[in-house]
Amino acid sequence: MAAHIGRRLRKGAATTAVAAAAVAALSASQAPGATVDDQGRQSTGDATSAPDTAADDSATGNSPYYTDLPPLNSPNPSPSAGSGDAGDQRAGEAGIPATVLDAYKQAEATLREKKPGCNLPWQLLAAIGKVESGQARGGRVTADGTTVTPILGPQLDGNGFALIRDTDNGAYDGNRMYDQAVGPMQFIPSTWDWAGRDGNGDGRKDPNNIYDAALAAGHYLCRFDWDLSQQGDLRKAILSYNNSTDYLNTVLSWLEFYRRGTHEIPDGTGALPVDRSDDTARPGVTPSAPGTTPPARPGKPSGSRPSPSPAAPGNGGSPSTPSVTPPPATPPTPTDTVHHLEDAGTGTLTAMAGHTFAERVSTRAETEAGKAVAKVRIRFTLVGDTDTTFTGGETVATVTTDASGVAVAPALQAGERTGAFAVQTAVVGRSVKGVPYRATVTARAADALALAGEKEPTCVAGGEFAEPVQVKATYRGEAAGKVAVTATLVTSADDPAENDKGPYFKDADGKAVRSLTGLRTDADGQLTLPKLYADDTAGTFLLRLTTTGGATLDVKLTVEPAAAPSPEPDPSTDPAPSTDPSTEPSTDPSETPAA
């Protein structure tokens, strides 16, 4: 015990500078308009930038975490780092188990491709993994990255922690009464339900697998279009994972430590963290370390039912039943009072592919009597064959109802897949009738086409047009990008049939074609058509361009007659050469005129 206390005292003294640096970094990175109250809760002036940060809207449900700070020595091992137990301990604290490190780096590579604007560093995942589970309990994982034993946080029963009733019927945490944070990145079930990812390609999303959990954590940190190279966004992302200023400072300390360098160590040899944020959260109850069974609620027996006491002497052998104090009644939460959900005035949900839906889904939670219920978590889930997402790229969003009982989902961002899908609503932690909303994505469209340039295309019969035809598509005055365009050389303005003579395009085999489909404008709404050629027919022709949405443009093409060739001289009409000597110049010197 004395050794443990001594270690904590030495560690506290050694890491004061690191903690101070983290606090300084925090102050310097304060995002404009963002504040943190004395309970560590963040608020910003932009209410639409992210959902609220209630406990079960965070990744971990604001579960306990490890507060151990990094050592001050270099994270890279060196001969001077020490030898024996002390040197091994420092190397273990600085090193990251091989499989765990690989999972972090794979997640970074995937996010660099999927969400390049996020700029997620793997060191941030390592910092969070260290704080949440001590790098999967020192790297105790199987070859595929699954933890040898489940890593569970304490049950979130409201007694010293947040109150989050069971949301997964015990599927992830084995607890059918309350939720518990699960796995090396400590996701609560309700968050894993939408944030979970398959990071190792086995077709499963397992919160106990470090590859799956690391990739899920990366996506979670990169939502809302946050750029983690910006200190303000970095700070908001970390706070969204666990909404505590102390948590933020601890993660920032390990992030800076790992950025200075680290090294790979064998799986299962990492140092186990000691200090946790709930060391004094529940007086009289020993906090559970991840990977162990959480403590029972005070006043509630744990394990099996107690056995009756032996018969007391002199009472006739009748066994006595021990007195058991019943658990205190838990007052109903707002969630417990919800009877049903109602639409709160959502309009028609329609958007063009690639555009943001103008209307947002709005749902109201009500009691059986129709009274609005505030502070209830509403989950919005996209259902159907669609690539539409909520802002931030997710298909599930959780929002808490306001004072009028209304929750408004984040804006929908249409993908490229057209057709209908649904937005399903549900109450987190309670099975009640939800509200389905039908949404539709229509094809990209343009309502106007214009020819780029003022000069009409001209060519000589039998030749090719020197300049390609260029047009620009717009929709309601804005550039219409990625709009499908059809180009047809029509017979006349009144006859849309394909012309059988005049200008033409060439297909891949070099054959003449007079109609092209599958053309699309670029992101700026511009389109350059393939080169046009002309046969031997001179005259004026029409190239008709049409788009989805009804925009039409007729481009006049002029083919001028080929120039007549110069006639060859006819020998029969040429005069015969003269044979008169008098007309020939004299070559006799004597006949040269005198000067």
Side-chain angles (χ1 to χ4, degrees), residues 144 192 196-206 209 211-212:
D144 71 344
W192 182 262
R197 294 293 192 281
D198 176 15
N200 62 351
D202 64 356
R204 300 174 61 234
K205 300 175 183 178
D206 182 2
N209 183 280
Y211 287 98
D212 294 359

Side-chain angles (χ1 to χ4, degrees), residues 97 99-100 135-136 138-148 184 208 210 267-268:
T99 299
V100 178
Q135 310 298 17
R140 286 161 176 77
V141 295
T142 60
D144 71 344
T146 302
T147 56
V148 175
N208 295 298
I210 185 58
D267 288 344

Side-chain angles (χ1 to χ4, degrees), residues 343-428:
D343 176 40
T346 305
T348 303
L349 296 170
T350 302
M352 190 186 302
H355 289 239
T356 300
F357 281 71
E359 192 73 18
R360 294 167 66 176
V361 179
S362 181
T363 298
R364 183 173 58 254
E366 296 183 354
T367 65
E368 187 173 7
K371 183 179 178 181
V373 185
K375 298 182 180 180
V376 173
R377 303 172 305 279
I378 306 298
R379 180 181 296 136
F380 300 87
T381 304
L382 305 188
V383 180
D385 185 17
T386 181
D387 56 354
T388 295
T389 64
F390 291 110
T391 301
E394 303 297 343
T395 58
V396 178
T398 302
V399 181
T400 301
T401 57
D402 59 18
S404 61
V406 174
V408 180
L412 287 166
Q413 179 65 44
E416 295 301 324
R417 193 172 301 163
T418 60
F421 65 96
V423 182
Q424 183 65 49
T425 61
V427 178
V428 176

Side-chain angles (χ1 to χ4, degrees), residues 552-573:
T552 301
L553 175 66
D554 284 345
V555 180
K556 187 170 77 171
L557 305 176
T558 301
V559 179
E560 298 176 346
S566 301
E568 293 292 333
D570 186 355
S572 63
T573 60

